[in-house]
Amino acid sequence: MRILVTGGAGFIGSFVVDSLTDEGHEVVVIDNLDPEAHDGRPDWLRADVDYRWGDVTDASVWRAALPGCDAVCHQASKVGLGVDFADAPAYVASNDLGTAVGLAVAHELRFSGRIVLASSMVVYGEGAYTCAEHEVVRPPPRSVDDLEAGRYEPRCPRCDEPLKPAMVTEDAPLDPRNVYAATKVQQEYLCRTFAREHPGVTVTALRYHNVYGPRMPSDTPYAGVASIFRTALAKGTAPRLFEDGGQRRDFVHVKDVAEANRLALVTPQGVGGTFNVASGRPSTLLEMAEALAAAHGEGLRPEVVGGYRLGDVRHVTASIERAVETLGYRPSVLLAEGMAEFATAPLRRSPRRR
Ligand code: UD1
């Protein structure tokens, strides 16, 4: 197949490119080498890949790269929480306008292949919970009073009793709670609308959980917690955990995420729909930090410092059953071994700070 990978020079995209190219597919990449994530050209670029340096908001870049492609794997995206609301236009431009421009060119060129979209678990907002009395419930955002008082666990909106975290399934209601999350929901809707209006097009949205692994950008305002902790250890400082360290997440290795993309792109019958992409083995933040710190050595231990970030959700853990059954996805990297590799993998060069 000939496959266009947007963001193919980046953290996840480059692993998708490796896996497709190694399997004999012809890969074209669109990437703008965003200076917030890259300090020049990364050293994992490949001679057997056709890189088009440009931005996904530029229709001419899509027009040059898309002809002849059987599939588009859309990874290019501005990620994370950003600095503050002033970042909103940049997120919407890069993620939503970029997607709309690509789809408009796909329409113009009568593209009729597959679209695989990098989405995120942030579209769910606070994860899934059960109450002993009221079964499945959806707690509202945690209040400042509760967070200030160290009451971190969401409580049942009906009886105020503590809740048990559950595994989120793909049909959970969407509840984006930050700008990035809102742009991911919009990307999913734009792609689905395109598919409805273009017979033959299949859209697969992969909702990534907390991805980590080699090539991850080092600590920036846009980085997730695994990168922040890895950067801290590299500087000889302890990872600092907010709240009580009991937040639950699903840390999934980048190679497993790349494999989910490969499966969605190349399975003989296009598999449309939405899929959680996670390891299927959630952990607390403290467990992850301990595994990482232990593997790093040098005696640094994680420190639970308390405090909170207002936009954070408490627990988000996913059911991967649908991806396992429909895509044949089999995550293979266990937390301990993945963190051991991550603890010593070279960090990506520091990007230019704003
Ligand atoms: C993260 C990403 C989100 C992405 C999602 C799935 C960010 C900011 N968030 O969401 O974009 O879609 O994974 O891949 O990139 N924490 C600490 N100490 C720190 C930093 C964070 O304890 O120094 C805690 C936070 O309070 C939170 C948890 O770690 O409880 C996870 O934080 P983070 O990785 O930033 O956000 P996610 O909500 O998991």
Side-chain angles (χ1 to χ4, degrees), residues 31-66:
D31 201 297
N32 69 351
L33 291 175
D34 185 347
E36 271 161 1
H38 292 275
D39 178 19
R41 292 191 182 192
D43 52 16
W44 51 79
L45 299 184
R46 306 175 58 117
D48 51 0
V49 167
D50 179 4
Y51 292 95
R52 309 289 176 118
W53 304 118
D55 200 280
V56 286
T57 57
D58 180 348
S60 69
V61 178
W62 287 92
R63 279 192 197 106
L66 188 59

Side-chain angles (χ1 to χ4, degrees), residues 95-306:
N95 300 358
D96 296 335
L97 179 62
T99 302
V101 169
L103 293 173
V105 172
H107 170 75
E108 183 184 303
L109 298 178
R110 300 177 192 280
F111 173 78
S112 63
R114 293 183 193 182
I115 299 174
V116 175
L117 172 70
S119 185
S120 166
M121 56 81 161
V122 290
V123 299
Y124 298 122
E126 190 66 68
Y129 293 88
T130 53
C131 163
E133 198 180 337
H134 298 105
E135 300 182 353
V136 178
V137 294
R138 303 191 60 225
R142 297 175 294 171
S143 72
V144 172
D145 283 352
D146 278 349
L147 290 166
E148 286 287 344
R151 289 187 295 269
Y152 300 124
E153 292 295 338
R155 293 194 307 258
C156 176
R158 293 172 68 188
C159 65
D160 213 32
E161 289 299 313
L163 297 171
K164 247 180 90 186
M167 303 292 253
V168 188
T169 55
E170 291 84 349
D171 45 17
L174 301 184
D175 185 12
R177 292 187 181 177
N178 58 47
V179 171
Y180 170 65
T183 66
K184 285 285 147 187
V185 171
Q186 173 78 344
Q187 281 187 307
E188 285 194 14
Y189 284 133
L190 285 169
C191 291
R192 270 191 238 162
T193 306
F194 182 85
R196 253 198 318 278
E197 292 181 15
H198 296 80
V201 172
T202 325
V203 169
T204 314
L206 301 178
R207 290 182 179 156
Y208 302 162
H209 284 247
N210 295 65
V211 189
Y212 72 96
R215 304 182 188 171
M216 203 172 179
S218 54
D219 181 3
T220 74
Y222 310 92
V225 68
S227 156
I228 292 171
F229 287 177
R230 172 68 183 87
T231 309
L233 288 166
K235 288 182 186 155
T237 56
R240 292 162 56 86
L241 283 74
F242 305 141
E243 303 186 17
D244 57 3
Q247 306 92 305
R248 295 182 78 77
R249 292 289 190 279
D250 189 319
F251 293 94
V252 57
H253 194 273
V254 64
K255 285 190 180 149
D256 284 330
V257 176
E259 175 61 5
N261 277 277
R262 191 193 67 79
L263 289 165
L265 287 160
V266 308
T267 39
Q269 270 80 40
V271 183
T274 305
F275 299 90
N276 287 331
V277 176
S279 74
R281 294 185 172 92
S283 60
T284 65
L285 200 57
L286 188 56
E287 286 164 349
M288 179 279 266
E290 277 176 340
L292 184 64
H296 187 261
E298 300 178 26
L300 289 165
R301 311 299 317 157
E303 283 171 17
V304 177
V305 297

